[in-house]
Structures are given as C-alpha cells and as structure tokens.
Amino acid sequence: MNITLNQNDTTNANLKVVLQEADYAPKVDEKIKEYTKKAQIKGFRPGKVPAGLIRKMYGKSILAEEINGLLSKSVNDYIKENNIRILGEPLPDETKQNAIDWDNQKDFEFDFELGILPDFELNPAAGETLDAYKIELDEETINQVHEHLQRQYGETANPETSEANDYLSGELRQLEGEFKTTTLLPINKIKKNQEQFIGVKAGYVITFDLQEVFDNDASAISHVTGVRKAETAELKGNFEFAVEKINRTAAAEFNQELFDKIFGKDAVTTEEEFNNKLRETLAENYQQEADKVLKNKLVEKLVKETEITLPEEFFKKWLAVSNQGKLTPEQIEENFEQYKDELKWSMIRNKIVEENDIKVSNEEVVNATKAKMFAQFNMPEISDELADTMNGYIDNYLKQNNGRNYINEYEAILAEKVLDVLKDKVTVVEKSVTADEFRNLSF
C-alpha cells in the first residue's frame, strides 16, 4: 500500500492511495473461507461448499467490501497518525477516479480531496469592553405577565364579533412583498387605528400599514410576525389580515387554583407570595437572556476579528455531500457566510478547549440534565422514593437518539465553560435597563 499527500496550498490537499493485491488478498481469502463454512447451497453439505464456487458467486462483492473497508481505515489512520486537521471528511476526487474492473483489476488507485484546517492565532478579545445588562423589573412588565397568565389559564371562547381585548386568528400577508404567516393578532396591543379590528367577523379581510398600527414598535411586530426584532423594519407597506377565528379569554382569577397551576401544589398560598415568586422567576429568566446576549456578542466579536483562512470551495462541496442533497447549491451560497462563521467558532472553541485543558465530566452532564428535568416538571426536589425512578428516566433520555442527547448536553456545558474563560479576558460594563427597554433592544 502506498499513500501520498500532495498539499496544493494551506487549505487544500489531495490524497492518493494505491492498493496492491498483497494488501487485500489475505482478507478476501479469509472471508471466502468463512463463507464456505456458513453457506447453504443446494447439493453441498454444510461447511463443504468449494472455495472456488464461493469465489465465483460472491467473490466480487467480498472484494469490493474488503477494499472499501481497508481504504477507509487506511485513510483515517494516515490522517490521524500524521496529525492532519481536516474539515469534515475526505471526499472522492471525481475528476481522477476511473471506473473499476472488479473482474480483472489487481491494483487499485483512489484519489481524495481534503480540506485542511490551518492553525491560527487567537487573541480572545484581551482588553476589550462589552456591555452587559442588568434587568430591572418594571411594573408594566409585571402587569403584562399577570395579564398573560390570566389569559393562558382562563377559559377561551370564539365569539362571532371581535371586541377590544380579543385575539384575531388568521393569515397575515404583505401586499407588495413575499412575507406571509399564520398568527394571532392581539387587538389591545394595536396602538393606532384600533377601530379597524373591532367589530369584525370570521371571513373579514383588514388592510393596514403594519408599522403604523403598531407605531413602529419592533417588539410588538416581532411578536405578531415571528420575525427578529432587528429585521422588523423591513416589513414595510400595507398588509392584509384574513380573519379566520376570534379568540376571547375570560381572565382566570388570582386564587389558589391558579397559584398551584403555575408554581406547583401549595408552593405559594397568597397573592403576595405569588408576586414575589413571579418576580424571582422573571428576574432569573431575564438575567439568563441578558447573559446569553453578552455571550453572543463575545462570540460574534471573536469570529469577526479572528483571521482564519478556510478551504471555501471544499467546504461547499462537503456541505452538499454531508447533507445528502437536502441543500441546493443556491441555498449553500445564500447561507455560506453563516456556515463559515459557525465553522470558525467551532475552530476557535476547540482551540480554547485545548489550550485551557477544559473537560466535562459524566457527573456534570447527568446533573445538568437532572436540573433541567426538575425545572421542566416544576419539581425543586424529589423524594428518596422517586430518586431511582428519576435517575433511570435521565439515563434513558441521555441514551436516546443513539446518544445524541448526551452529546448535545455535553456540548452545551463545554460551550458554557469556553465562554466563561473568554468572559474573564474582557472588561464587562454593566448597564441597568428595565425589562421593557431590554425587550426593545436590537440584538
């Protein structure tokens, strides 16, 4: 066997593998002997089928299987032993691959394209300054959450004609554009020309300027359309809303039944306790969002300012092959900058992991999963009797999807540790903002 690496430049290389008969013949002969012992062919006793007959019947498929296995192992071993950092996996070089004559050919040549990931200098934003947000809960936000919870747990009806506190369900469509979505439109959040939406029935079509009726409120428009706040300004001009249904919810009362539904049985027993618990929960959720914003800014800054030369043409080929035709060339081109940024961040993250010897233990993965499960089921703690059951449930969850759930949890913890390392290298300036102001910031 002969393997030759020809590096064209810093990010692209070709790998040639030449297999000779001596490389694969012993394995093929061994496999044929196995077949003679197991094959059941009419006219021959078990284990007495001639090797020549097996070779004639199955020799070609055995040869192809053994060569493919040997080729894959040899290429992977070569890359590992020579410490070649590649993007994805080797791709067959279609321009050099000749048709194989499995009946007569003895020596085989295979050519692969490699995308090489170059080394790079990492300067993790040393001395940089980033804004962090401390969220102050304002009364308007608390009142909005009260209203939302009362609606969420209230009784819903579908009246014939709309009133000011109803939700309209239907299709929102841009008249001079391509945007279209099915959504719920809250009439009481409309700031101008609200009368257009009151007194309507199913089947009505309302025409209006989206920016005008919401008074250019990016947060409200984002909530209705599902578009990111930073992109809502692009939704210009007149829209049509085709009313399909009117939703009216009678607000749920603030009583023990509501308290139990939201926070669990007897977790709070008075409205004062409920409001304190609500503030605590909201503060925690908003701070998690604020921390996420800070981390996203840090990642964006690193990706933007770290110079990494990528094998772009190979990357495009690999994206097409690895996604098995699910991505068209047009889609790859359209989203290529995003794919590049994701790859660069992956390389930066791996370098930080190596340089800082960051590790994630199995115990950390299990404990993080357990904490999420407790939060999902609204259980601050569990009894000893339920502990074994919960541990079994967590173990089963982490093994699902061929272990993908475990890997996802592992990767999430690893990413948090990397970002914690990076946060120590920047100066964070804390800014206090209300929850309403935070919601309206563009990220």
Side-chain angles (χ1 to χ4, degrees):
M1 181 190 307
N2 185 30
I3 301 179
T4 307
L5 179 70
N6 179 29
Q7 190 151 344
N8 305 320
D9 52 45
T10 57
T11 60
N12 293 280
N14 291 96
L15 193 69
K16 179 183 285 291
V17 182
V18 178
L19 296 179
Q20 298 174 324
E21 188 174 15
D23 297 319
Y24 60 81
K27 285 286 186 182
V28 172
D29 292 342
E30 183 181 337
K31 187 59 67 72
I32 286 175
K33 286 181 181 178
E34 290 179 10
Y35 270 56
T36 62
K37 297 175 183 178
K38 299 177 182 178
Q40 295 185 1
I41 299 177
K42 189 175 180 179
F44 296 93
R45 287 181 296 165
K48 298 298 182 180
V49 179
L53 181 59
I54 294 294
R55 190 179 297 274
K56 183 176 180 181
M57 295 177 65
Y58 304 110
K60 194 183 300 184
S61 61
I62 292 173
L63 174 62
E65 181 182 342
E66 290 303 318
I67 283 183
N68 285 331
L70 177 61
L71 182 64
S72 176
K73 183 178 185 305
S74 301
V75 169
N76 290 334
D77 287 349
Y78 181 88
I79 290 170
K80 185 176 180 180
E81 290 167 5
N82 289 275
N83 197 27
I84 304 171
R85 299 174 66 246
I86 65 169
L87 191 165
E89 58 192 20
L91 296 179
D93 189 341
E94 303 294 345
T95 64
K96 298 181 180 179
Q97 196 64 49
N98 297 319
I100 296 176
D101 182 356
W102 294 105
D103 291 312
N104 302 303
Q105 201 167 328
K106 302 297 182 182
D107 296 342
F108 300 87
E109 289 188 5
F110 300 91
D111 291 275
F112 297 92
E113 295 180 77
L114 303 184
I116 307 296
L117 296 179
D119 199 7
F120 57 94
E121 293 296 324
L122 180 62
N123 181 25
E128 294 286 350
T129 299
L130 289 175
D131 291 337
Y133 297 99
K134 181 180 180 181
I135 314 301
E136 297 177 352
L137 291 175
D138 50 286
E139 288 305 313
E140 182 181 354
T141 297
I142 298 296
N143 292 336
Q144 287 175 355
V145 175
H146 275 186
E147 180 185 336
H148 172 75
L149 291 174
Q150 286 181 289
R151 282 184 175 275
Q152 181 180 351
Y153 292 97
E155 294 185 5
T156 301
N158 301 114
E160 184 178 346
T161 306
S162 66
E163 295 180 359
N165 288 317
D166 292 339
Y167 279 73
L168 301 181
S169 173
E171 183 181 84
L172 178 67
R173 182 175 70 86
Q174 191 176 25
L175 292 183
E176 296 183 1
E178 299 181 355
F179 181 82
K180 183 170 65 174
T181 187
T182 299
T183 187
L184 280 175
L185 197 156
I187 298 176
N188 63 356
K189 300 300 181 186
I190 293 171
K191 299 179 180 179
K192 292 184 178 179
N193 302 326
Q194 194 182 84
E195 64 277 3
Q196 279 187 273
F197 303 86
I198 297 174
V200 303
K201 299 180 179 181
Y204 278 39
V205 176
I206 310 165
T207 302
F208 56 95
D209 185 307
L210 184 68
Q211 298 290 340
E212 180 183 2
V213 297
F214 286 107
D215 199 21
N216 299 304
D217 184 337
S219 181
I221 295 172
S222 173
H223 181 75
V224 169
T225 62
V227 173
R228 292 177 56 192
K229 286 187 290 185
E231 299 170 359
T232 55
E234 299 175 13
L235 298 176
K236 299 177 181 178
N238 285 330
F239 282 70
E240 277 188 352
F241 188 85
V243 181
E244 296 176 1
K245 187 167 57 175
I246 296 158
N247 300 289
R248 181 176 300 162
T249 303
E253 293 183 18
F254 274 99
N255 53 27
Q256 192 60 46
E257 182 181 1
L258 180 63
F259 300 161
D260 290 347
K261 285 179 180 178
I262 296 173
F263 290 121
K265 179 69 172 173
D266 296 330
V268 296
T269 56
T270 67
E271 190 166 343
E272 181 181 1
E273 288 180 354
F274 175 83
N275 285 329
N276 289 338
K277 183 71 171 176
L278 182 62
R279 283 180 176 276
E280 178 186 327
T281 304
L282 287 174
E284 182 180 332
N285 291 342
Y286 270 110
Q287 202 53 54
Q288 287 176 355
E289 286 298 312
D291 289 343
K292 188 184 298 183
V293 168
L294 175 61
K295 291 170 182 176
N296 288 342
K297 284 183 178 181
L298 187 51
V299 169
E300 288 172 9
K301 191 171 188 64
L302 272 173
V303 168
K304 181 180 179 181
E305 296 184 0
T306 304
E307 293 186 10
I308 305 177
T309 303
L310 299 175
E312 295 192 6
E313 291 307 313
F314 177 89
F315 191 16
K316 291 175 184 177
K317 289 182 184 179
W318 182 81
L319 284 169
V321 171
S322 63
N323 285 281
Q324 301 178 334
K326 294 178 182 177
L327 285 178
T328 66
E330 292 76 20
Q331 289 172 322
I332 291 173
E333 286 293 341
E334 181 181 353
N335 299 292
F336 193 58
E337 289 302 315
Q338 177 185 336
Y339 297 142
K340 284 168 57 179
D341 286 349
E342 290 172 355
L343 175 58
K344 286 178 68 175
W345 169 238
S346 175
M347 294 172 66
I348 291 168
R349 190 193 67 174
N350 291 342
K351 192 176 185 73
I352 294 169
V353 168
E354 292 172 8
E355 291 181 351
N356 294 273
D357 194 28
I358 298 174
K359 292 181 172 62
V360 177
S361 68
N362 179 68
E363 184 180 7
E364 287 177 296
V365 173
V366 172
N367 288 340
T369 306
K370 187 180 295 185
K372 288 181 180 178
M373 294 289 184
F374 285 2
Q376 179 181 347
F377 295 119
N378 199 22
M379 296 188 304
E381 57 184 26
I382 59 173
S383 63
D384 293 339
E385 292 80 7
L386 287 176
D388 288 342
T389 300
M390 178 57 75
N391 289 337
Y393 181 80
I394 290 170
D395 183 62
N396 182 59
Y397 168 79
L398 291 173
K399 289 177 180 177
Q400 287 175 4
N401 300 323
N402 294 320
R404 174 52 56 184
N405 290 349
Y406 186 98
I407 293 171
N408 289 342
E409 194 61 53
Y410 178 98
E411 292 288 338
I413 298 171
L414 187 67
E416 286 295 318
K417 291 190 174 189
V418 167
L419 288 165
D420 286 341
V421 169
L422 292 173
K423 281 170 64 178
D424 290 339
K425 299 183 182 296
V426 300
T427 301
V428 176
V429 178
E430 190 174 86
K431 291 186 175 182
S432 292
V433 295
T434 66
D436 184 60
E437 288 171 336
F438 180 75
R439 290 195 300 272
N440 284 293
L441 289 171
S442 294
F443 301 121

